[in-house]
Amino acid sequence: MKKTKMFLLLIAMLFAITLASCGGGGGGGDGGGGGATPAPTSVNLPKTGQTTNYATGDDGDLERGVAWPSQRFTVDGTGFCVTDNLTGLMWVGIPSGSTATWQNALNYANGLTFCGYTDWRLPNVNEMESLLNAGQDNTATWLNSQGFSLVQSSYYWTSSTNASNTTYAWIVGMVGGDVLTVGKTTSYYVWPVRAGGGAPADLPKTGQTTSYATGDDGDLERGVAWPSQRFTVDGTGLCITDNLTGLMWVRNANSGIATWQNALAYANGQSICGYDDWRLPNKKELRSLIHYEQANSATWLNGQGFSNVQANSYWSSTTYSFATTSAWFVTMSGGDVSSFSKSGTLSVWPVRAGQ
């Protein structure tokens, strides 16, 4: 057992040395993607991982989304790469313990040869977010019990640029689960990914099509393609179906502001467009509306058939496990995901499963 741990540490040190020596220039490999599996016509958003119920109709009560496999991760034959059986993505089993700037992170991931593969890359924001477990106080600790080693309780780079300020890129926190942006010249951790096989949950493209560096999100555009018509207004004119996720949203996104508990009660009590199974969206469902090519997703959504989408924060039904007096929200302008006290007031936007 001690020899195995020493070997793992040596591998991690080798990654760190390689990462520290990365300079500018393009990355190798052809990226990953959905592999050879044909893209479905729509994606199946997975559950968030939250199973504890904090209020009637919340995420832990309803647990909406594709169920996680009984064995979420599988370590490959080499012992150094791990496949996520929920998304099909393959990850380096021992992420580098060193930090890097965004450009050096891209260079390192794109130039990696590991476990017999050369198509490693930096994950986009949807892919990195997919590792989060909203039911855990610390996702890094949980991942280190699932076959990974040395996952840091910190932030990891994604290949997705912040469209409103292109000197910034998106990072994902492996402790609580924040999704934020920081300057590309700062240093954060790096975790390469590649395409695996088919999986029950499909990750969509982020929407980013502009490339800011070789091997970034806009260059590779990994994920399930969006339908040519992303949204369809129903016959009543009051509801809109997202043809990418299958979710149906209330067309008028300005239902006022409320505390988290009141937001749940309001959404769960709606009867609109002939349906009475409305609810507050969970963290993943709400974030699925963000368009990472756009400087302001609220403005974009208002041009897609919605009305009164606010350029501020909307409640999700997902509680912040690290501090359960707070819940997760998504900001519809930039796309930030963070937590806020449940006694505070944020915007409300009901959703239902669709057909």
Side-chain angles (χ1 to χ4, degrees):
M1 187 65 171
K2 289 183 178 179
K3 289 183 178 179
T4 301
K5 288 185 176 179
M6 285 296 295
F7 190 48
L8 292 175
L9 288 172
L10 285 172
I11 292 293
M13 289 173 64
L14 179 61
F15 279 4
I17 293 169
T18 304
L19 178 59
S21 66
C22 282
D30 59 0
T37 305
T41 55
S42 64
V43 297
N44 299 308
L45 295 177
K47 295 182 178 183
T48 68
Q50 189 153 107
T51 57
T52 301
N53 176 11
Y54 299 94
T56 300
D58 75 348
D59 186 6
D61 180 19
L62 302 180
E63 294 187 51
R64 300 302 189 193
V66 174
W68 293 10
S70 56
Q71 181 180 344
R72 174 71 192 263
F73 300 99
T74 300
V75 181
D76 82 335
T78 69
F80 299 114
C81 292
V82 179
T83 294
D84 185 343
N85 298 314
L86 178 64
T87 65
L89 294 171
M90 177 180 282
W91 299 84
V92 169
I94 314 167
S96 171
S98 293
T99 60
T101 64
W102 184 73
Q103 183 62 65
N104 283 349
L106 281 172
N107 296 341
Y108 168 71
N110 294 342
L112 185 64
T113 296
F114 199 61
C115 292
Y117 301 102
T118 61
D119 57 350
W120 296 95
R121 54 188 171 79
L122 200 62
N124 64 37
V125 64
N126 287 349
E127 293 168 328
M128 183 58 76
E129 193 275 343
S130 73
L131 288 175
L132 297 176
N133 185 340
Q136 297 291 320
D137 294 351
N138 187 319
T139 289
T141 300
W142 173 72
L143 288 168
N144 285 327
S145 72
Q146 299 294 307
F148 295 98
S149 299
L150 305 179
V151 179
Q152 304 297 309
S153 296
S154 186
Y155 289 92
Y156 283 82
W157 282 119
T158 79
S159 64
S160 305
T161 290
N162 179 4
S164 66
N165 182 347
T166 59
T167 65
Y168 279 56
W170 290 94
I171 57 173
V172 175
M174 284 297 139
V175 182
D178 298 82
V179 182
L180 308 169
T181 63
V182 295
K184 291 178 177 178
T185 58
T186 56
S187 291
Y188 284 97
Y189 289 100
V190 187
W191 197 346
V193 73
R194 62 174 297 276
D202 318 295
L203 297 179
K205 293 184 178 184
T206 67
Q208 191 153 108
T209 56
T210 300
S211 176
Y212 301 92
T214 300
D216 73 350
D217 185 6
D219 179 20
L220 301 180
E221 295 186 49
R222 299 307 186 192
V224 175
W226 294 9
S228 56
Q229 182 179 343
R230 176 68 191 265
F231 301 99
T232 300
V233 181
D234 84 330
T236 70
L238 300 176
C239 299
I240 293 186
T241 295
D242 184 343
N243 298 314
L244 176 64
T245 64
L247 294 171
M248 178 180 283
W249 299 84
V250 172
R251 187 178 185 184
N252 184 346
N254 187 12
S255 298
I257 60 173
T259 64
W260 184 73
Q261 183 63 63
N262 287 344
L264 282 171
Y266 172 81
N268 295 343
Q270 292 302 298
S271 181
I272 308 173
C273 300
Y275 303 103
D276 58 8
D277 56 350
W278 296 94
R279 54 187 172 80
L280 202 62
N282 67 35
K283 182 183 178 185
K284 288 183 181 292
E285 292 170 329
L286 194 52
R287 201 183 69 82
S288 72
L289 292 172
I290 299 300
H291 190 329
Y292 289 92
E293 178 68 10
Q294 300 293 321
N296 188 321
S297 288
T299 302
W300 173 72
L301 287 165
N302 284 326
Q304 298 296 306
F306 292 99
S307 63
N308 298 315
V309 178
Q310 305 297 297
N312 55 24
S313 301
Y314 283 80
W315 281 122
S316 82
S317 64
T318 309
T319 290
Y320 180 38
S321 292
F322 185 78
T324 59
T325 57
S326 295
W328 290 100
F329 67 81
V330 177
T331 303
M332 280 299 140
S333 54
D336 294 65
V337 182
S338 195
S339 59
F340 189 59
S341 171
K342 291 177 178 177
S343 62
T345 56
L346 297 176
S347 294
V348 187
W349 196 351
V351 74
R352 61 177 297 275
Q355 301 305 109

